[in-house]
Amino acid sequence: MIAVTSPPTALPPHPNHHENLHHYVSAQIRQLSPEHSRASMGRTLVRQDNAQAVDPNQKPIRRTATEAPGRPVPNGVPATEHDEVGTTTHGGDRVTRPGTLVRSNTDVGPRRRSSPDNPEPAEDNWELRHGYDEQYNSAEYLNQLRSAFYMYYTDKRHETGGKPRHEDPSRNTSEWRMRDRLKTVSAALAICLNIGVDPPDVVKTNPTAKLECWIDPTAGVGTNNKTMEQIGKKLQEQYEGLSIRVRYKQYLDPSVEETKKFCTSLRRNAKDERILFHYNGHGVPLPTPSGEIWVFNRNYTQYIPVSLYDLQMWLGAPSLFVFDCSNAGNIIANFDRFVAKHEEENAEVRKNDPDAQLQTYGDNIQLAACGKLESLPTSPDLPADLFTCCLTTPIDISLRFFLLENPLPCDLSLKDVTRIPGRLAERRSPLGELNWIFTAITDTIAWNLLPRATFKKLFRQDLMVAALFRNFLLSERIMRANGCHPMSVPSLPETHNHPLWQAWDLTIEMVLTQLPAMIAAEEGGPPYEYRHSDFFTEQLTAFEVYLSQGAPNQEAPSQLPIVLQVLLSQVHRLRALILLSRFLDMGAWAVNLALTIGIFPYVLKLLQSAAVELKPVMIFIWARILAVDGACQADLIKDNGYQYFLNMLNPNAQLPVANTGEHRAMSAFIVAMFCRGFSQGQTVCLSPDLIETCIGHLQDTDNPLLRQWSCLCISMLWENYPEAKWVGIRCQAHQRLCEMALDEIPEVRAAALHALTNFLGIPDLTAQVAHYEESVASTIMIMTNDGNSMVRRELLVFFSTFVKRYQNKFLVAAFEQLVKEKELLMHSEANPNANANPQNGSLSKRPSQQNSRDDKATKVSKDSVQSTIWMHLLIMTIDPHPEVAQDAKVVVDYIHEKLLDSPLGPRAQPLMDEIVRLSKRAAAAKPQPPSRQPSVAPVARRTPVSGSPAPPALPKNESYLSMGMRRTASMAAALKHLTFGTTEQPTPPATSTTPHQRVPGGPLRSRVPPEWSKPPDVHDPTSKPSTYVKAKAPKPKGFAKRDPNSPPSIPLKSGFFDWSIEVLHFIEFNANHLSKCHRLTTLQYFGEPQMRPVDAEEPGSDDYNQKLWRRSRNEKVLACTQPLKGVAGTSKWDMPMGFFNNGTQPSKMCFHQFENHLAIADDRDSICIWDWSKSTRLSRFSNANPPGSRINEARFINEDDQALLLTGSSDGIVRIFRNYESESSVELVSAFRALTNLVDSTKNAGLVLDWQQGQGKLLVTGDVRVIRVWNAGKEIYDVEIPTRSSSPITSLTTDAVAGAVVIAGYGDGAIRVFDQRNRPQMAMVRVWRKHNQWITNVHMQRGGLRELVSGCRNGEVKLWDLRWREEIKTIRAVEGTMRGLSVHEHAPVFAA
């Protein structure tokens, strides 16, 4: 039963007094019997003792370089220059910085200012302990307190587990590419005019439209045949303006026989390509209701109908039909009916003859001038072939249409509009600019209104089709204005009323406004400089507005096709590229849209540009494209486009940006993607210069991204390419990569391992090659202690590749380990009183009965790299991270399977059976504590075992391979000492002659009772296994359990490269033509936003609002609670807030600072999260401790935002959980072995830790001889500080703000002060020996007066000042054994 007592809520008046005279309250919780504790809460006695003032005559010790008041000055540098703090406010003062979320400060000193709403009594003599007041009043320190605050274990590598979201995103099918790209190769221009003879069913007005291809057939000089030839030639010229590569053939007033002949001939020559059939039926009868069109007989005396069925049979598919005649809708209505009939006939033929060669009829595109019952316009101001003019001469007809529809008076005539200077192909000329803008507008209208698949087919598959459909949009506008409704197949939505047509009218108006001046200049008048349109500038501005809104709901921008057209202009190119890069930054969906619109040919062509200002943005755009679609390698090899990025990798290459390192990192990424799985790319990139360049970038300590991708670039160059590996050997690249094993960035370490894995595998395995590979393997073994699971998984990929390559040697190493295991068990059985722990040296004693053959086998792999790696693999099978352990078991399972199938199998099987028999006997003889199990990770021969712990009792028929790994604390320790190869000898037990055991002027430590040097709970009973309900252990995000039916296979596959494609950091570039710098911030995912802030930093986003709410909530909590610290020492703590039954015996408890969360760890491996305000259990989960260990520590980290739960267990493992408050959503974020050389001791201090949020450091110690300082950002330990004692450390505390001072309490009662700014050997600056029993706790407050409080087993509590050699005050808090001590972080209150 657990009770929660509330602090005082009232603010009674109290006398002002010196802060050193604050009252201390000790709340003693009496332990009840187990039976009584389950029924009622223990009584709480509150006693107040006035703290005595420090003797004013007592002089503080003199400050020296090694004994300073918490602020030593190593090497003559002031201590404040070494302090690194990560807070944003000082005391209670809120620092307002607009635009940036800062944390609610809880790790700083006292709040000096008073709030108007909550006035605090003035303190006349404000003074902090340890001389910190001088430090906190310095301007430099206050600036440090206001610096940004970092959250830890929240990076993408922790959120994703280092696994890519997709199996292989770079190899996905590129949907934007037109795999079935077609082109129109031939065109038949059938013109049926029969000039001079009107068809019988057509009634023409007078006056009427006459122009055909802008030629008046009635006003020409010469015969009708010559006029027809002119019209045919003009029509061909108009079509050549759309596509000049098409073979055109004119058929003027054709007969039925000619029609059949030229249609069949076109299909025969075109093969499977598209044919254009243009039909002008202005001189023949209207199409029939059944869809027949008309031609002539040979003598031009009759009109002959041509059935659509015959026309389709002659032309086949794919074909493009243009019907310019009245009632053209009849053709469209009947076309598909005849296609279906052809398909039915093909199906019948295919049924009888599956191998028959059949003509296809399905892929047809049709354009018709009007509907079924509609006639073409007959206005004399318009051409007779208005539909053809719209399709082939859109600019001319647009100008004419504008003049005709313009309601305002205009001095220009219809002839004047034909005098606009320039050519269509010259974009800087007036006529060329009009054509350029028209193309952009029609593309944009189609992009906005058409489905994506239809847009790709009609506007990106075929140049002729794209041009005709672009102009068809204009025809819909013009023809509708004249009473006709053009039709198409596939059908298009209405486009005639799109707003962009107004922009087109404005563009035409601006050109026509300048036309008189331009005509006058051509006729000899004053020169006139044409003023270009602002259309593209305005559209780019609109696109920028779209980007500033953040693309809500991933809505496609309407201006994207216009941006594509702007890339053709040098004037707007840079701005367009920058805006395009910002759009691509929005995610893979944006990249796919840009590729669909057709951006790729443009950016590919721009690689040939030598413009320096384009290089940064081009690198960024190509990095985005390759991150989404890596199948662009063949395109880069064309015209040597890859050289663009190889040149950028050169350190001497100049870039017009400040952060050249990040752009070179992107260039390395592009080269790596270019070489990945592409032998041609590897061949053209292979050169010593590239490898030397990448090696040189490994020394760039300021750009971790560049180091990471330099490693991966080398890796992709080496992949399955022996010649590149030999070049790397000559450049000593493998040695340089081995040096990255201790890089401070986990991604860089993993990238180096990825490259070294690909270094293995030179086909000719000579002694020289083996030496290189074994030297690499022996160098990177230290990475088995890496704190990042992603790095350890990548190390296992290397190990598995190495094991596969040297499989026979590993079989011998595995067999030798079985022999050692049998010897160990036999020796333990023969000497039951001997400790089989490796530290006692018992493993080195071999039974004399061991036969000589086994001894000979033992010598085969002794001291070899393979033997050491095998032992590392065995250790990694019990790695605290499930994914690492599972991968390691796959490798071990594979070797054991191969061992049984090898010639050593007949000898290995009896060894395994004997080990099983001895293990059974040991388990039966000594069930508690758990007996030592085999030091290998066996698996079932056909069915590998799961990673769940096995029951203690083994079935009689159980084999060695089916036993599985027994994860116990002793097991982990034994494996560790067998495999880590440490030469460090354990410190012998302390005796009376040990110099450190003597206290000057005091009695010998060895003469104190042994009970004094043991923890208070050493004799406490633990929960019985029979009654203990084990909770579910959380798994990492995306954890996939291994299929027990799948046989083990190596080498393991790495997903790190694919994951690295998704993750990059901090990129920025500068555009010289813009007034401000465009910053690309925090590349979270390569397929996600990079230039704009992530959601958590974007004002208005849900994550940002939640963070803002939490900050406001935290500030409110602090504002309400900080005034209470002044009266906490004089008020009673007797208001119960909750009672709840944890179900198991609590051993550690931890309160969240702001949430109503209480974490309780029991005496085994379960953690319960309670809402103490409601007495409700939120979740319960397992810490996954091995049997024989327990949870020693539980802490909340990142409390100012979304907190994580950190636990430390007695086997040296640290685990971190997210979503701990939800039993269904809790996940394992990280797990690593923080201590690898725990000393087995009956004192059982286990693991002791302290977390520094401001510094991002985790200090870990316990039953070891060092204090290991882990860096949470680097996920490796920075330093090991010797403890300077043979007694274990039982409690650890630090100066949570500056983080330099470390205070440790020991099992013998000593307290030592360390300063991390000194060298590790000189870190101890003070030692107090005023306690003579086990230190229960020592703690330095984060706030308040920064009091340092210690308590020992006998109930004494002492107050210290780092500047004084003696304690300030001693309080007898408990009569008897003090089992626990907790100190308030801000108030002068402790509980014992």
Side-chain angles (χ1 to χ4, degrees):
M1 194 65 100
I2 299 174
V4 179
T5 304
S6 172
T9 56
L11 294 175
H14 62 284
N16 293 338
H17 50 268
H18 194 278
E19 284 290 327
N20 289 340
L21 301 180
H22 264 316
H23 298 290
Y24 279 82
V25 177
S26 63
Q28 175 186 6
I29 302 177
R30 295 183 177 179
Q31 182 181 6
L32 306 178
S33 64
E35 295 78 7
H36 184 65
S37 62
R38 285 192 293 266
S40 62
M41 182 192 71
R43 298 179 181 176
T44 302
L45 302 181
V46 181
R47 183 180 59 196
Q48 299 179 4
D49 294 292
N50 293 335
Q52 298 178 0
V54 180
D55 185 359
N57 297 323
Q58 185 178 8
K59 297 182 179 180
I61 59 175
R62 181 171 57 90
R63 303 180 183 180
T64 63
T66 57
E67 290 191 356
R71 304 193 305 154
V73 189
N75 302 324
V77 182
T80 54
E81 297 183 7
H82 295 269
D83 294 335
E84 297 180 359
V85 290
T87 54
T88 55
T89 59
H90 176 59
D93 308 333
R94 182 181 303 181
V95 179
T96 303
R97 292 193 300 172
T100 302
L101 280 179
V102 295
R103 67 181 289 253
S104 301
N105 179 25
T106 59
D107 289 350
V108 298
R111 297 178 173 254
R112 300 290 296 274
R113 298 181 184 177
S114 300
S115 172
D117 299 331
N118 299 302
E120 295 185 10
E123 304 290 350
D124 297 332
N125 300 312
W126 188 280
E127 180 181 351
L128 295 179
R129 295 288 189 202
H130 325 297
Y132 285 153
D133 52 344
E134 176 185 351
Q135 180 181 8
Y136 289 169
N137 288 332
S138 67
E140 178 184 3
Y141 191 76
L142 292 177
N143 291 333
Q144 289 178 341
L145 292 178
R146 294 182 175 91
S147 63
F149 183 76
Y150 298 98
M151 299 295 165
Y152 298 94
Y153 296 101
T154 57
D155 294 330
K156 288 299 179 182
R157 63 177 180 267
H158 303 113
E159 294 181 3
T160 63
K163 298 182 291 294
R165 291 176 295 177
H166 307 289
E167 182 179 356
D168 194 357
S170 64
R171 292 296 182 265
N172 290 340
T173 303
S174 303
E175 297 180 357
W176 60 273
R177 289 183 182 269
M178 301 301 298
R179 300 301 181 186
D180 55 346
R181 177 179 290 275
L182 297 174
K183 60 181 179 180
T184 303
V185 295
S186 301
L189 307 180
I191 306 174
C192 301
L193 293 180
N194 196 14
I195 300 174
V197 180
D198 293 334
D201 57 351
V202 176
V203 179
K204 294 185 178 181
T205 61
N206 189 17
T208 186
K210 297 180 180 180
L211 299 180
E212 297 282 351
C213 297
W214 303 104
I215 297 175
D216 186 356
T218 63
V221 180
T223 64
N224 292 339
N225 290 336
K226 282 194 172 286
T227 304
M228 281 292 296
E229 291 176 1
Q230 293 176 0
I231 292 174
K233 184 179 180 180
K234 184 65 174 179
L235 179 60
Q236 180 175 337
E237 290 177 356
Q238 292 176 184
Y239 266 108
E240 287 175 346
L242 302 182
S243 178
I244 197 173
R245 296 183 178 181
V246 179
R247 297 188 299 269
Y248 297 97
K249 185 66 175 177
Q250 305 170 27
Y251 299 98
L252 309 178
D253 294 337
S255 64
V256 174
E257 293 79 6
E258 291 175 343
T259 304
K260 179 179 179 180
K261 182 179 178 180
F262 72 70
C263 286
T264 54
S265 175
L266 287 177
R267 172 50 58 197
R268 183 172 56 253
N269 295 331
K271 297 180 181 180
D272 295 331
E273 298 293 347
R274 180 175 280 118
I275 296 174
L276 168 64
F277 179 78
H278 178 94
Y279 174 74
N280 183 326
H282 295 173
V284 294
L286 302 178
T288 66
S290 61
E292 295 171 314
I293 61 175
W294 299 87
V295 291
F296 304 96
N297 62 0
R298 289 182 179 273
N299 300 323
Y300 298 97
T301 59
Q302 290 181 339
Y303 298 107
I304 307 299
V306 176
S307 171
L308 285 178
Y309 178 86
D310 295 333
L311 185 63
Q312 293 171 358
M313 184 172 59
W314 299 337
L315 288 175
S319 298
L320 170 60
F321 297 89
V322 177
F323 301 107
D324 187 357
C325 58
S326 298
N327 290 7
N330 289 331
I331 306 174
I332 302 298
N334 291 278
F335 197 94
D336 290 341
R337 179 167 57 89
F338 290 105
V339 169
K341 186 175 180 180
H342 281 294
E343 294 294 342
E344 291 176 1
E345 294 174 354
N346 283 349
E348 289 294 332
V349 175
R350 192 177 292 108
K351 184 177 180 181
N352 299 327
D353 184 7
D355 298 329
Q357 298 292 329
L358 301 177
Q359 176 65 268
T360 59
Y361 301 96
D363 188 6
N364 292 294
I365 299 174
Q366 304 143 54
L367 299 176
C370 57
K372 289 183 179 182
L373 303 177
E374 294 178 347
S375 298
L376 296 179
T378 59
S379 172
D381 294 328
L382 295 173
D385 60 343
L386 179 60
F387 185 63
T388 300
C389 289
C390 290
L391 294 182
T392 57
T393 57
I395 305 302
D396 294 338
I397 195 62
S398 293
L399 294 170
R400 180 178 290 259
F401 177 75
F402 179 82
L403 280 182
L404 295 175
E405 296 294 323
N406 186 13
L408 300 178
C410 182
D411 297 334
L412 296 175
S413 65
L414 293 178
K415 285 187 176 181
D416 291 335
V417 298
T418 61
R419 300 181 60 183
I420 296 178
R423 295 189 306 164
L424 293 176
E426 295 178 355
R427 286 187 294 270
R428 298 300 296 170
S429 66
L431 190 60
E433 186 179 61
L434 275 176
N435 185 59
W436 184 24
I437 295 175
F438 175 79
T439 302
I441 287 178
T442 51
D443 257 12
T444 304
I445 293 175
W447 168 259
N448 292 330
L449 298 181
L450 270 61
R452 293 290 175 259
T454 305
F455 177 83
K456 286 171 57 178
K457 179 181 179 180
L458 301 182
F459 288 82
R460 292 297 180 263
Q461 188 182 57
D462 186 341
L463 292 178
M464 175 63 78
V465 174
L468 287 177
F469 268 91
R470 215 179 281 123
N471 300 340
F472 179 78
L473 301 183
L474 175 67
S475 72
E476 185 181 4
R477 185 188 188 211
I478 295 178
M479 299 291 287
R480 277 177 175 267
N482 291 273
C484 293
H485 296 78
M487 302 178 65
S488 68
V489 175
S491 61
L492 304 181
E494 293 185 359
T495 60
H496 65 282
N497 54 358
H498 195 277
L500 274 179
W501 288 122
Q502 299 177 11
W504 174 237
D505 291 339
L506 177 62
T507 303
I508 293 177
E509 184 178 7
M510 293 182 64
V511 173
L512 294 181
T513 302
Q514 304 177 70
L515 183 58
M518 291 187 290
I519 294 176
E522 288 182 354
E523 295 176 348
Y528 180 79
E529 183 178 356
Y530 174 71
R531 183 168 58 88
H532 294 279
S533 173
D534 295 332
F535 173 79
F536 289 111
T537 302
E538 294 170 352
Q539 293 299 317
L540 287 179
T541 302
F543 186 47
E544 191 170 6
V545 172
Y546 163 86
L547 294 174
S548 64
Q549 295 175 351
N553 302 322
Q554 296 186 357
E555 181 180 353
S558 59
Q559 300 83 10
L560 192 57
I562 297 176
V563 176
L564 180 66
Q565 291 294 323
V566 173
L567 294 180
L568 300 172
S569 169
Q570 293 185 355
V571 177
H572 305 289
R573 182 175 295 163
L574 181 57
R575 184 187 179 195
L577 285 174
I578 292 177
L579 294 178
L580 177 63
S581 64
R582 291 177 57 186
F583 174 68
L584 298 181
D585 172 64
M586 293 185 172
W589 67 272
V591 177
N592 284 323
L593 282 179
L595 293 175
T596 302
I597 199 66
I599 197 70
F600 187 78
Y602 292 82
V603 295
L604 182 63
K605 188 67 176 177
L606 285 175
L607 292 180
Q608 308 304 318
S609 173
V612 178
E613 66 274 7
L614 298 182
K615 291 182 178 180
V617 66
M618 284 297 296
I619 292 172
F620 178 82
I621 289 175
W622 269 96
R624 296 291 295 174
I625 292 175
L626 286 175
V628 175
D629 185 356
C632 303
Q633 298 156 317
D635 302 286
L636 280 176
I637 211 170
K638 298 176 184 177
D639 300 325
N640 297 329
Y642 65 92
Q643 285 288 349
Y644 192 90
F645 308 104
L646 288 178
N647 295 335
M648 291 302 99
L649 271 177
N650 193 321
N652 298 324
Q654 298 297 322
L655 285 172
V657 288
N659 58 334
T660 57
E662 285 78 4
H663 286 82
R664 290 199 173 95
M666 286 189 286
S667 298
F669 160 73
I670 295 170
V671 175
M673 291 294 295
F674 176 62
C675 294
R676 186 187 190 191
F678 187 52
S679 58
Q680 291 177 306
Q682 291 175 311
T683 302
V684 298
C685 288
L686 177 60
S687 68
D689 293 338
L690 175 59
I691 295 181
E692 290 284 0
T693 298
C694 293
I695 292 174
H697 290 323
L698 297 181
Q699 311 303 319
D700 190 346
T701 58
D702 297 330
N703 293 285
L705 190 67
L706 178 57
R707 300 200 304 273
Q708 175 185 345
W709 279 105
S710 296
C711 293
L712 292 176
C713 183
I714 297 174
S715 178
M716 291 298 100
L717 186 62
W718 279 349
E719 188 179 26
N720 301 322
Y721 193 24
E723 290 79 3
K725 298 177 185 180
W726 281 112
V727 174
I729 290 175
R730 288 189 286 271
C731 297
Q732 297 182 344
H734 60 293
Q735 298 180 9
R736 299 294 180 269
L737 289 170
C738 289
E739 296 173 1
M740 309 306 292
L742 296 178
D743 193 274
E744 61 182 15
I745 303 299
E747 288 83 355
V748 177
R749 302 196 295 271
L753 284 172
H754 193 279
L756 292 173
T757 301
N758 283 331
F759 175 75
L760 303 176
I762 297 178
D764 189 10
L765 185 55
T766 62
Q768 181 185 17
V769 173
H771 171 72
Y772 289 141
E773 295 180 347
E774 290 179 354
S775 64
V776 168
S778 61
T779 303
I780 64 175
M781 286 183 194
I782 59 173
M783 302 181 76
T784 55
N785 288 333
D786 199 287
N788 184 266
S789 61
M790 178 181 65
V791 176
R792 300 199 301 275
R793 290 182 64 193
E794 201 62 30
L795 179 64
L796 278 173
V797 176
F798 175 90
F799 281 165
S800 67
T801 307
F802 192 82
V803 168
K804 183 71 173 179
R805 187 163 172 81
Y806 299 92
Q807 179 172 308
N808 292 334
K809 293 185 178 181
F810 278 95
L811 293 179
V812 175
F815 179 79
E816 176 188 347
Q817 177 57 32
L818 293 176
V819 175
K820 290 182 180 180
E821 186 64 29
K822 177 184 173 183
E823 291 178 6
L824 178 63
L825 291 174
M826 292 179 63
H827 180 65
S828 299
E829 187 178 32
N831 302 276
N833 296 326
N835 185 3
N837 194 303
Q839 284 127 1
N840 296 342
S842 59
L843 288 180
S844 62
K845 302 176 183 179
R846 302 288 180 185
S848 59
Q849 292 83 3
Q850 179 67 41
N851 60 64
S852 60
R853 185 170 296 180
D854 285 350
D855 289 336
K856 183 178 180 180
T858 303
K859 297 178 182 178
V860 173
S861 62
K862 184 178 181 181
D863 299 330
S864 67
V865 175
Q866 288 79 11
S867 177
T868 308
I869 290 180
W870 178 247
M871 300 306 297
H872 278 294
L873 285 170
L874 296 178
I875 290 181
M876 298 181 82
T877 59
I878 55 173
D879 191 273
H881 199 278
E883 291 175 337
V884 178
Q886 181 170 269
D887 288 348
K889 289 175 184 177
V890 171
V891 182
V892 174
D893 290 356
Y894 177 85
I895 290 299
H896 281 154
E897 290 280 354
K898 296 300 180 182
L899 177 62
L900 293 179
D901 294 336
S902 69
L904 289 175
R907 298 189 60 203
Q909 188 65 58
L911 281 173
M912 294 180 179
D913 296 339
E914 182 65 15
I915 291 173
V916 172
R917 185 184 64 82
L918 293 173
S919 298
K920 288 181 181 179
R921 186 180 303 172
K926 189 179 180 181
Q928 289 292 337
S931 61
R932 173 177 169 77
Q933 304 296 335
S935 315
V936 290
V939 296
R941 183 177 179 83
R942 296 298 174 221
T943 305
V945 300
S946 62
S948 59
L954 299 174
K956 293 183 179 180
N957 60 351
E958 187 170 11
S959 66
Y960 176 84
L961 288 179
S962 62
M963 286 174 57
M965 174 60 70
R966 305 297 189 262
R967 297 183 63 249
T968 63
S970 60
M971 173 68 193
L975 280 179
K976 176 259 303 179
H977 285 283
L978 279 172
T979 59
F980 276 102
T982 178
T983 57
E984 178 184 357
Q985 297 295 329
T987 306
T991 63
S992 59
T993 59
T994 304
H996 293 290
Q997 295 293 336
R998 294 183 177 271
V999 180
L1004 293 178
R1005 290 269 176 182
S1006 60
R1007 296 177 183 175
V1008 301
E1011 197 71 17
W1012 289 11
S1013 297
K1014 294 182 179 180
D1017 57 352
V1018 67
H1019 299 301
D1020 287 356
T1022 58
S1023 301
K1024 298 180 180 180
S1026 58
T1027 60
Y1028 188 82
V1029 179
K1030 192 173 182 64
K1032 181 180 179 181
K1035 301 297 182 182
K1037 185 176 183 179
F1039 175 75
K1041 191 175 181 180
R1042 173 187 170 192
D1043 184 5
N1045 297 320
S1046 63
S1049 175
I1050 61 173
L1052 302 173
K1053 302 300 181 182
S1054 171
F1056 176 74
F1057 188 90
D1058 294 326
W1059 179 82
S1060 297
I1061 295 174
E1062 300 174 355
V1063 181
L1064 288 177
H1065 306 279
F1066 304 111
I1067 297 182
E1068 66 179 29
F1069 65 86
N1070 194 358
N1072 292 333
H1073 81 293
L1074 296 178
S1075 59
K1076 62 179 181 179
C1077 174
H1078 289 264
R1079 177 174 177 81
L1080 312 185
T1081 57
T1082 314
L1083 275 174
Q1084 291 293 339
Y1085 272 95
F1086 218 6
E1088 292 182 357
Q1090 301 174 14
M1091 297 184 191
R1092 62 183 178 88
V1094 294
D1095 286 342
E1097 301 174 5
E1098 182 74 25
S1101 65
D1102 291 341
D1103 290 343
Y1104 183 90
N1105 292 338
Q1106 291 173 9
K1107 284 180 176 290
L1108 192 63
W1109 177 87
R1110 282 191 292 268
R1111 186 185 71 170
S1112 301
R1113 186 271 315 269
N1114 297 349
E1115 290 289 351
K1116 182 178 180 180
V1117 170
L1118 293 175
C1120 294
T1121 57
Q1122 282 297 315
L1124 300 179
K1125 68 181 182 181
V1127 298
T1130 58
S1131 302
K1132 294 183 178 181
W1133 292 56
D1134 56 358
M1135 181 183 297
M1137 294 296 295
F1139 302 86
F1140 40 90
N1141 187 356
N1142 193 58
T1144 56
Q1145 180 178 341
S1147 62
K1148 294 292 179 180
M1149 294 191 299
C1150 181
F1151 282 95
H1152 193 290
Q1153 289 191 76
F1154 303 108
E1155 304 283 355
N1156 297 331
H1157 294 168
L1158 171 63
I1160 301 177
D1162 61 19
D1163 57 347
R1164 291 174 69 89
D1165 73 338
S1166 293
I1167 301 171
C1168 292
I1169 306 298
W1170 290 83
D1171 185 334
W1172 56 264
S1173 63
K1174 300 178 181 178
S1175 299
T1176 304
R1177 193 179 77 179
L1178 302 177
S1179 66
R1180 180 177 183 264
F1181 54 91
S1182 171
N1183 194 53
N1185 291 354
S1189 64
R1190 62 174 184 171
I1191 302 174
N1192 288 124
E1193 298 283 354
R1195 304 287 176 90
F1196 289 109
I1197 67 175
N1198 300 345
E1199 292 179 89
D1200 292 273
D1201 193 40
Q1202 292 178 312
L1204 305 176
L1205 180 63
L1206 182 147
T1207 64
S1209 52
S1210 59
D1211 58 347
I1213 303 299
V1214 170
R1215 293 176 176 85
I1216 301 171
F1217 303 93
R1218 76 162 61 90
N1219 303 328
Y1220 57 85
E1221 72 280 4
S1222 173
E1223 195 164 329
S1224 60
S1225 303
V1226 59
E1227 296 175 352
L1228 180 67
V1229 177
S1230 180
F1232 59 95
R1233 193 176 297 278
L1235 294 177
T1236 55
N1237 54 348
L1238 278 171
V1239 179
D1240 288 345
S1241 172
T1242 57
K1243 298 178 182 180
N1244 291 328
L1247 180 142
V1248 179
L1249 61 82
D1250 191 51
W1251 168 252
Q1252 295 180 344
Q1253 182 71 49
Q1255 306 297 318
K1257 292 182 179 179
L1258 180 68
L1259 288 82
V1260 184
T1261 183
D1263 291 323
V1264 290
R1265 302 294 177 259
V1266 295
I1267 301 174
R1268 183 170 288 181
V1269 183
W1270 285 84
N1271 189 302
K1274 303 176 183 178
E1275 297 192 64
I1276 55 177
Y1277 64 87
D1278 291 333
V1279 67
E1280 286 185 339
I1281 303 174
T1283 61
R1284 304 283 291 272
S1285 174
S1286 61
S1287 182
I1289 293 179
T1290 64
S1291 180
L1292 196 67
T1293 187
T1294 61
D1295 175 14
V1297 181
V1301 178
V1302 181
I1303 301 100
Y1306 289 74
D1308 59 359
I1311 299 176
R1312 288 177 172 83
V1313 181
F1314 301 89
D1315 196 313
Q1316 299 183 61
R1317 295 168 293 187
N1318 294 337
R1319 291 186 298 109
Q1321 293 77 10
M1322 304 295 294
M1324 193 185 77
V1325 295
R1326 185 174 297 284
V1327 57
W1328 291 305
R1329 304 183 186 275
K1330 300 303 180 179
H1331 292 290
N1332 57 6
Q1333 294 192 27
W1334 183 281
I1335 298 296
T1336 302
N1337 190 18
V1338 58
H1339 186 80
M1340 176 183 287
Q1341 290 181 309
R1342 285 187 297 184
L1345 296 183
R1346 314 302 304 282
E1347 296 285 3
L1348 176 60
V1349 183
S1350 67
C1352 69
R1353 175 191 173 102
N1354 63 3
E1356 286 186 351
V1357 176
K1358 295 181 181 292
L1359 275 64
W1360 307 90
D1361 192 308
L1362 295 176
R1363 299 168 294 180
W1364 296 75
R1365 298 184 184 274
E1366 304 294 330
E1367 70 273 22
I1368 297 175
K1369 181 176 177 58
T1370 300
I1371 302 172
R1372 172 63 64 176
V1374 177
E1375 298 295 337
T1377 301
M1378 183 168 68
R1379 307 178 61 83
L1381 174 67
S1382 181
V1383 183
H1384 198 281
E1385 295 292 357
H1386 300 277
V1389 176
F1390 68 84

